[in-house]
Amino acid sequence: MRMSPLCIFSPRILHPRGSHTAAGPFVPPCPPLDQEKVKELQRFISLSKRLLVMTGAGISTESGIPDYRSEKVGLYARTDRRPIQHVDFVQSAKTRQRYWARNFVGWPQFSSHQPNAAHLALSSWERLGKLYWLVTQNVDALHTKAGSQRLTELHGCMHRVLCLHCGEQTPREVLQERFETLNPTWRAEAHGVAPDGDVFLTEDQVRSFHVPSCAKCGGPLKPDVVFFGDTVNHDKVDFVHVRVKEADALLVVYSGYKFILAAHEKKLPIAVLNIGPTRSDQLACLKLDFRCAEILPLIAPW
């Protein structure tokens, strides 16, 4: 079975005791852990022999990365700002300049985030043969940093950059060095943190920022991720649908409705771990409103 390509860097395996387990400013409030619910999740996991896990932005909030939609603490709740649209990025050099200036400032912090106890638990499930496949909508590479290999990054990875003309891929850290070379005296202070390595800058701060082109063909550069308004690669979607068909149970951690519908049509048992209600709740046999980094490490992978 083919593996999805990993991000272009060497993953650093962390021990769970060194992980970030405390709730941070981007984690919505939730009820205290219910031991009966822990037992129910344990039974759900124990009964599965081909467990498929799908994760979304909520799993990384406990690593200090904000998401868009979490109640009271997500970007949409905190500000009136909205994420960049694919068509704007592709068509406008000014939009690309603004995006890359903000990403340049945010990259050192974003790239330094480490997996939390939930990422590490899922990686250990894989090593012990419990997790059949992991699909993530996240672009932060935290699953890869945790050591996961049976992994599909549905929306790409911020640690890669591609050329919109020739398709050449380069590591994001290499682009950071090129930014520094082109902007030796440019300085900007961020006015807030957004998801996916973005920060808030003023137009005056952005105006003098220089953006490099592809070193191979001179084309415009884009992070290797799916922006809002773009579509996920069809082959990747088909690949995930095959994994759904092969699985015997689905654990959803803040993630994708369309694949949950496919699992429901296949009559797979579905567990949803998400603080707050989701569209998938009525399809699940088990719903849990707890922090994923608190509950997942308690589950024995057998």
Side-chain angles (χ1 to χ4, degrees):
M1 181 180 297
R2 64 187 174 97
M3 301 282 186
S4 63
L6 300 179
C7 288
I8 309 175
F9 67 93
S10 298
R12 186 155 67 96
I13 311 301
L14 301 179
H15 193 279
R17 286 182 297 182
S19 62
H20 306 273
T21 57
F26 306 120
V27 181
C30 66
L33 198 60
D34 182 336
Q35 292 302 319
E36 287 304 313
K37 289 291 187 179
V38 175
K39 292 178 182 177
E40 288 183 47
L41 181 59
Q42 180 65 71
R43 286 194 292 270
F44 179 90
I45 299 300
S46 296
L47 289 171
S48 174
K49 303 302 179 185
R50 297 172 74 85
L51 177 67
L52 175 66
V53 178
M54 303 192 68
T55 68
I59 196 173
S60 294
T61 57
E62 292 178 70
S63 289
I65 300 176
D67 66 1
Y68 290 104
R69 296 184 175 87
S70 284
E71 186 177 357
K72 298 181 180 180
V73 294
L75 181 72
Y76 295 162
R78 293 183 289 116
T79 78
D80 59 359
R81 296 175 181 264
R82 293 298 179 263
I84 192 169
Q85 298 292 310
H86 175 78
V87 65
D88 295 333
F89 186 94
V90 171
Q91 294 181 353
S92 170
K94 185 176 181 180
T95 298
R96 292 193 294 272
Q97 179 192 40
R98 182 170 62 251
Y99 173 86
W100 280 123
R102 288 158 47 161
N103 190 266
F104 169 72
V105 174
W107 179 251
Q109 179 179 354
F110 180 78
S111 60
S112 69
H113 287 296
Q114 296 300 325
N116 61 54
H119 298 99
L120 295 167
L122 294 176
S123 176
S124 71
W125 292 7
E126 177 188 320
R127 290 196 304 274
L128 295 170
K130 170 54 67 176
L131 188 148
Y132 174 60
W133 204 267
L134 173 61
V135 179
T136 186
Q137 294 177 314
N138 299 340
V139 298
D140 51 35
L142 293 188
H143 284 301
T144 301
K145 287 183 179 182
S148 293
Q149 296 185 49
R150 299 179 67 82
L151 170 68
T152 296
E153 294 169 322
L154 197 62
H155 292 167
C157 181
M158 287 292 295
H159 288 254
R160 295 187 298 266
V161 177
L162 59 82
C163 173
L164 289 173
H165 286 176
C166 72
E168 179 76 2
Q169 282 194 2
T170 56
R172 175 61 182 80
E173 61 189 22
V174 172
L175 183 60
Q176 192 75 358
E177 295 170 359
R178 296 185 65 196
F179 282 139
E180 292 169 354
T181 299
L182 279 178
N183 301 275
T185 62
W186 187 85
R187 296 291 182 272
E189 182 179 347
H191 301 282
V193 180
D196 302 336
D198 195 11
V199 299
F200 303 146
L201 300 178
T202 66
E203 290 300 320
D204 286 341
Q205 289 174 308
V206 168
R207 192 170 293 120
S208 61
F209 187 76
H210 298 287
V211 179
S213 300
C214 174
K216 183 177 180 180
C217 76
L221 299 174
K222 175 185 174 294
D224 188 13
V225 300
V226 178
F227 282 146
F228 281 75
D230 195 9
T231 57
V232 179
N233 177 276
H234 292 302
D235 289 340
K236 190 176 289 189
V237 171
D238 291 342
F239 179 81
V240 174
H241 276 295
V242 172
R243 302 290 82 75
V244 172
K245 291 178 181 178
E246 294 170 343
D248 66 1
L250 173 64
L251 172 62
V252 181
V253 186
Y254 298 92
S255 193
Y257 186 62
K258 290 183 179 179
F259 294 111
I260 297 170
L261 286 176
H264 181 68
E265 290 175 2
K266 188 176 178 284
K267 302 188 185 305
L268 293 185
I270 299 170
V272 174
L273 172 55
N274 192 96
I275 299 174
T278 77
R279 291 188 294 170
S280 308
D281 290 357
Q282 72 277 10
L283 306 178
C285 62
L286 177 61
K287 171 65 194 303
L288 305 128
D289 284 271
F290 308 112
R291 290 170 37 220
C292 49
E294 184 177 27
I295 189 170
L296 293 184
L298 302 178
I299 304 303
W302 50 68

